[in-house]
Amino acid sequence: MTWYVPQEQAMQRYGDLYSKVSLVNAGLSLDVNINRIFSKRAAEHRFTAWVSPTVYGQFFSADIYTKEGDKRYSDGVTEPDKISLGLGGALSLRYRIIQDIDLQLKNSLIWITDNHFDGIRTPFGKTKQNALWIPQIGVVWHIK
């Protein structure tokens, strides 16, 4: 059984608490069409694969609440002090439907250098990292 104990508060089980987490994520990436590396005629292919190495900046808002009574339980120490940095990237698979429209399946993985990501500070060990996986399905419109 794990307990979360902020300073000067009664002990609570994790099962009696929940967190409200908001995340704003901004990234700067370089999209590389892998097909173009292996073929000069990549633009003619219906299927293409892309990799996107990315540097991210995240802004978190995380608070802990009790399930019973819906009262704020955290004392503010779970809020990140500043912008959290992350490194990662994405692998995308695209399928061209018509000349200017592609369907895209994208998986992004971000390594976040913050120990306050979910509103629970980890006191054990020296780790201060988290990972975030973002699966996406989308439409790409080629504007000419």
Side-chain angles (χ1 to χ4, degrees):
M1 186 179 301
T2 307
W3 298 80
Y4 176 75
V5 185
Q7 296 175 342
E8 302 176 13
Q9 290 190 3
M11 217 182 303
Q12 290 280 344
R13 294 180 334 138
Y14 275 138
D16 297 334
L17 303 172
Y18 71 95
S19 62
K20 290 182 182 177
V21 179
S22 297
L23 165 67
V24 174
N25 190 34
L28 180 62
S29 67
L30 173 66
D31 293 335
V32 178
N33 184 340
I34 296 174
N35 292 42
R36 288 192 186 255
I37 295 172
F38 299 109
S39 171
K40 293 180 182 177
R41 298 172 48 172
E44 300 171 15
H45 296 173
R46 278 205 173 283
F47 288 98
T48 56
W50 296 72
V51 292
S52 306
T54 310
V55 176
Y56 296 94
Q58 292 98 14
F59 301 93
F60 298 109
S61 172
D63 280 314
I64 309 297
Y65 293 86
T66 60
K67 288 181 180 176
E68 185 177 319
D70 200 36
K71 295 179 183 172
R72 185 169 185 235
Y73 181 73
S74 58
D75 60 1
V77 298
T78 57
E79 291 290 332
D81 297 330
K82 57 190 177 317
I83 187 171
S84 300
L85 296 177
L87 295 174
L91 174 62
S92 304
L93 301 174
R94 293 184 184 176
Y95 175 74
R96 180 166 296 131
I97 298 172
I98 59 174
Q99 184 177 0
D100 295 332
I101 306 283
D102 294 352
L103 287 179
Q104 177 174 267
L105 175 63
K106 185 175 188 177
N107 280 294
S108 301
L109 185 63
I110 307 170
W111 169 65
I112 302 167
T113 58
D114 196 310
N115 195 23
H116 295 254
F117 170 74
D118 59 358
I120 307 255
R121 190 173 41 171
T122 307
F124 304 105
K126 298 188 187 234
T127 184
K128 294 186 179 190
Q129 296 87 24
N130 285 282
L132 183 65
W133 173 51
I134 306 171
Q136 303 170 29
I137 296 175
V139 176
V140 178
W141 177 26
H142 301 270
I143 301 173
K144 295 181 181 183

